Amino acid sequence: MNNIVPVAPNSFADLQMIPLQREVPRSTPLEEILAAVYRQRFVIAACVSVCVILAAVISLASPRQYTAQASVQLDQQTPQVLPAANQLDPEPSIQDADRFLQTQVDRLRSRSISERVISDLHLDRSPAALKAIGVEPSDPRTTHELIVAQLQERMKTALGLKTRLVQVSFTSGNPVISARVANGFANALFESNMDAKQQASDRAKQYLLQQLSGAKQRLETSEQEMLRYARRENLTATVVPQTGSNDRGGSLPAQQLGSLTDSLSQATTRRIDAQQRWAQVQNTPALQLPEVESNNAIQTLVSQRAQLQATLDEDLQRHTENYPTVKETAAKVRQIDSQINSFAASIKSSFYGQYLAAAQQERQLQQAVAGIKGAAMSERERSVGYNALSREVETNKAFYDGLLQRYKDVATAAGAAAANVSIVDRAWPPLAPDSSNLVRNVALGGMAGLILALFAGGIRERMHHVVRTSDDLERALNLPALGVVPRLLGSEPVEEALEDPHSAQAEAYHSIAAALLESSAGVLPKTLLITSSTADEGKSTTAFGIARSLSAMGKRVLLIDGDLRRPSATKLIGSSSEPGLSQVLAGAVQPEKTIKEFEGGAFNVVEAGDPGCNPITLLSGERIKSVFDELAKHHDIVIVDGPPVMGLADAVLLARSVENVLVVVEANRTHLTEVDVAISRLPQSNVIGAIVTKFDAKSAGVRYGSYDYYTYEKRESRA
């Protein structure tokens, strides 16, 4: 709360608008929880202890249990006995590794595995096994269901991180049975995995057989349809070659129908090659062609020409051109040149001839189905359907061959199937019973006890909803707390504790008086009633302590014992035979005649007076307010020690005659509902706050409020 202090309030009633100083720091939610736990520590300890003891007794008294454990290795990829192409299983994904492992673990918990274990080990016919797992033989159907339920409950699996080993354990009352059943689960998982692979292989083979039968029928049908079509259309190729055979038939149409694609492709290749060669030599002189220069005949002619040319050159040196020998030799040279040119041209033209031949062969192959005088085109048109049927035959044949090969692969793979589940360690009968059950049951008992303790403690906290700290008043009742007074230690009288100015109680009242004075900007209320909801909450001690503290601060204080039924302040200040408040209200004496000094003038007091008077008659009159006003003229503050509110009307009547009311609440005793009802009976404008008395931090379960808090000087001296 903010410490907002107005400047010179007109009256102490303005204090309702002034937030008071907090004497106690506000607790955090965690501190409140810890405080509640501390207050209920005995309940918590009792509940936890009882539950732990019960769990231990039950565990020790229950029959001994034995746990046997087997280890199974799970491999997502099976060993590659055959090439990967022959494997039936799809290639596993790395992302599915965890899913695969968890699937195998879940299979161990399945009903089918449990029933396989029962069948393999004949558990339903073994009295020792039934006794070990806690099944009483009855109706066979009921017994079977009970065995399955017990197997699934007693079998445990553990799959560690970053491992493919699964620990399969089974617990029963017989160590041998535990080992047999644990091994039975491991074997059942292995066998079920192999059976699943075998079933997948059988289904694949059955499916392939069905497909092969259909493919064979389609192949035979397509071949027969092709033959019928050839006969119906009177095609030249009446004998259809076998698929994949090199026999193309004896006639031109048969050759074209059998090897149309291969022959035409080869002819086109030859034509392209010949065309490219002709294009290369077409613009090249014949004598410069490599083929011409390397020709043996031309080389012979060239050699002969060279000899004749040499002879001609020699004759020309001796004779003229018209000389007969020269003419004859020149004619031979020309003749040889003509032969050479003729041979070269012939070689060059052979390239063109090859090109023409290749092109002609290509055209002939393209028109192979054509007959002479237009029959070829008709033959070709009729062979379109034949070609389609032939391609269908080829397709059916390829499909049939593929299915047949796949069937062979599946049959081979089924005979060499490898399991991805292998047993690493078999279970052995344990030598000693389980100790984990005791530890587990004790731990569960402790948890159950803690839950029960929290539940019981919460109920006790709700039922015992008392004021423990000033926070309770501020949160529940929105009532400002001026301070907290600690509980008095030992058997020391409260008068002696208040007389010691360094005691915790005296320091607490000094703090309250300072807070009251500071919150009102130094202007104290003229009249202040101190009351409580019930008796014995410390209101008289509070009135006495505040009066002593304010007087020590130099204030003129008058303490009036306003409890006319059971005066309490009189016990603190000492009783006397002098008249008191009751005589003043009855008009028997003047107010100033009842004032007496206390402790040498530290502050003044007015006793309650005659205890035999009728308080309601005296307090309900108008004289009481005038009496208080008259007494307040000579004092800075008049403190009235009033009676409790609950069950009496005295405090309500007194509250109407004073400026303000201060409520005293005993810690760890007074219920919030009592305080709320008491405050609701008082004038709301008069109540300025509350004081928590007899506060014990240890009982409240909070850290604040220890006695050393108010003994700073003593602690300093001890240090």
Side-chain angles (χ1 to χ4, degrees), residues 67 81 154 178 220 243 329-330 418 422 425 429 453 461 513-514 559 590 599 601 604 680 694 711:
T67 300
V81 179
R154 292 172 176 268
S178 297
E220 294 175 352
T243 303
T329 303
S422 58
D425 291 326
E461 283 287 312
L559 174 61
Q590 294 298 318
E599 293 185 352
N604 297 329
S680 65
K694 303 179 183 180
T711 56

Side-chain angles (χ1 to χ4, degrees), residues 404-463:
L404 184 60
Q405 183 61 40
R406 183 58 178 166
Y407 178 79
K408 294 178 182 179
D409 294 340
V410 169
T412 304
N420 54 1
V421 176
S422 58
I423 300 176
V424 178
D425 291 326
R426 291 193 170 274
W428 291 90
L431 300 178
D434 295 342
S435 60
S436 59
N437 290 339
L438 176 61
V439 177
R440 182 191 62 187
N441 293 340
V442 169
L444 292 177
M447 294 177 61
L450 184 60
I451 295 174
L452 177 63
L454 294 178
F455 181 74
I459 293 178
R460 291 186 79 250
E461 283 287 312
R462 291 291 183 181
M463 295 179 62

